[in-house]
Amino acid sequence: MLQQFSLEGKIALVTGGTYGIGMAMAKALGKAGATIIFNARSKDKVEEAEKEYRAEGFNAYGYQCDVTKESEVQALVADVASKHGDIDILVNNAGIIKRIPVLEMSVEEFEQVIDIDLVGPFIVSKAVAPGMIKKGAGKIINICSMMSELGRETVSAYAAAKGGLKMLTKNLACEWAEHNIQVNGIGPGYIATPQTAPLRTEGHPFNNFIISKTPAARWGNPEDLEGPVVFLASKASDFVNGHILYVDGGILAYIGKQPK
Ligand code: NAP
Ligand code: GCO
């Protein structure tokens, strides 16, 4: 039974794997046996992360690559194929957020979020799919969000991107199922990473707000995503397709704390 979750011999690409949720998921895939390929825009952070992965015993290879640049992505995929073999597992994790009210947000700022959070996963999925089709198998996991389902003030571009990413996930699942490629999503709740650090500063009203909106009454940790990503990357999920697995401590199930 547990063998179903083994990723021995698999090549896994995690975009944005230099820290945060991406690094935690990459380490989980590595613990399950996969070779870790990861990328980010910052060369320094890629080099630092590669040292960290290897110091912890992982077979890890870092690339400076911007997911919005198709030529860089295609070069990464080709280099991995020549050195390690075609990618078996893709986690489209790289993403940014801009918390700006619509009336103060420029079109360029809106487009930057869409480019990274939605167009990026399209570009990387399109680049890795031919290798998966050749192999007759593949796993693509898109990192969605609570904002794939819910809105809130100041995150219009992010919510539009993550809502689109949910539907891109379902569409790719339909297009590539015949090639035994499963395309699913993970929707993390509110996770303690650099991306949410501004919301978790001491006394920030959002901190208490999130705790009250989460039945588990805590922020998530990147490690809370380890099991879900190994499940969706492994044989154990071969008949799961087009599904968004929310790892949110119950936020989406909750109307909110009832008044005492
Ligand atoms: P993070 O701490 O800000 O890390 C983002 C990662 O993505 C970094 O490695 C960053 O490195 C990389 N990245 C950003 N733009 C990139 C680009 N154009 N090309 C390549 N890499 C890029 O974010 P996080 O909190 O770990 O979130 C990771 C993913 O989970 C994101 O998609 C986010 O939307 C999603 N998510 C987060 C939460 C949460 O509460 N934290 C909840 C739900 C979903 P560089 O800047 O060096 O490129
Ligand atoms: C925000 C947060 C969220 C989380 C995550 C929730 O400003 O509301 O950053 O967007 O990052 O996406 O699932």
Side-chain angles (χ1 to χ4, degrees):
M1 170 65 193
L2 290 178
Q3 193 53 33
Q4 285 191 66
F5 295 87
S6 169
L7 302 179
E8 286 298 337
K10 301 294 184 186
I11 309 291
L13 167 60
V14 179
T15 66
T18 50
Y19 51 84
I21 287 174
M23 176 171 265
M25 292 191 294
K27 288 182 177 178
L29 299 173
K31 287 173 196 168
T35 292
I36 300 167
I37 311 292
F38 68 98
N39 72 294
R41 294 165 300 182
S42 161
K43 186 169 186 296
D44 290 348
K45 290 199 174 70
V46 168
E47 288 171 355
E48 269 168 50
E50 190 174 80
K51 288 193 185 101
E52 179 177 335
Y53 282 116
R54 291 184 178 178
E56 293 184 21
F58 294 106
N59 198 18
Y61 303 86
Y63 289 79
Q64 183 187 11
C65 169
D66 183 333
V67 296
T68 66
K69 306 279 191 296
E70 188 170 29
S71 58
E72 290 183 21
V73 170
Q74 288 173 335
L76 180 159
V77 171
D79 191 64
V80 170
S82 68
K83 291 176 179 165
H84 308 285
D86 288 319
I87 289 163
D88 301 288
I89 301 159
L90 166 62
V91 181
N92 280 310
N93 166 78
I96 65 165
I97 191 167
K98 288 184 184 295
R99 300 183 182 95
I100 307 169
V102 169
L103 293 179
E104 297 165 30
M105 180 178 254
S106 70
V107 173
E108 292 71 26
E109 287 167 326
F110 186 90
E111 286 175 338
Q112 190 192 4
V113 177
I114 298 291
D115 274 351
I116 294 171
D117 294 12
L118 180 55
V119 181
F122 172 82
I123 289 171
V124 186
S125 301
K126 188 167 176 255
V128 305
M132 293 178 172
I133 291 169
K134 196 168 58 179
K135 281 189 163 187
K139 298 282 187 180
I140 296 176
I141 301 155
N142 294 323
I143 306 305
C144 297
S145 159
M146 295 290 92
M147 275 61 215
S148 297
E149 302 293 343
L150 303 169
R152 84 173 184 85
E153 304 85 349
T154 77
V155 294
S156 60
Y158 184 82
K162 293 300 188 178
L165 186 57
K166 174 179 78 171
M167 291 316 299
L168 178 64
T169 300
K170 292 174 186 279
N171 199 78
L172 295 181
C174 299
E175 284 203 26
W176 293 338
E178 65 179 317
H179 302 294
N180 189 32
I181 297 170
Q182 290 82 49
V183 186
N184 291 289
I186 289 177
Y190 280 80
I191 312 293
T193 71
Q195 190 243 50
T196 54
L199 303 175
R200 290 180 286 109
T201 50
E202 194 54 42
H204 193 298
F206 202 86
N207 198 31
N208 297 334
F209 170 70
I210 282 304
I211 300 294
S212 72
K213 292 291 280 181
T214 308
R218 68 172 175 88
W219 282 78
N221 300 305
E223 292 68 34
D224 288 318
L225 298 161
E226 290 186 3
V229 75
V230 169
F231 166 63
L232 289 177
S234 71
K235 188 164 181 44
S237 61
D238 276 3
F239 204 53
V240 179
N241 216 353
H243 181 74
I244 312 297
L245 176 58
Y246 287 99
V247 185
D248 67 352
I251 294 177
L252 287 178
Y254 198 28
I255 194 171
K257 196 169 282 303
Q258 56 192 33
K260 290 251 190 280

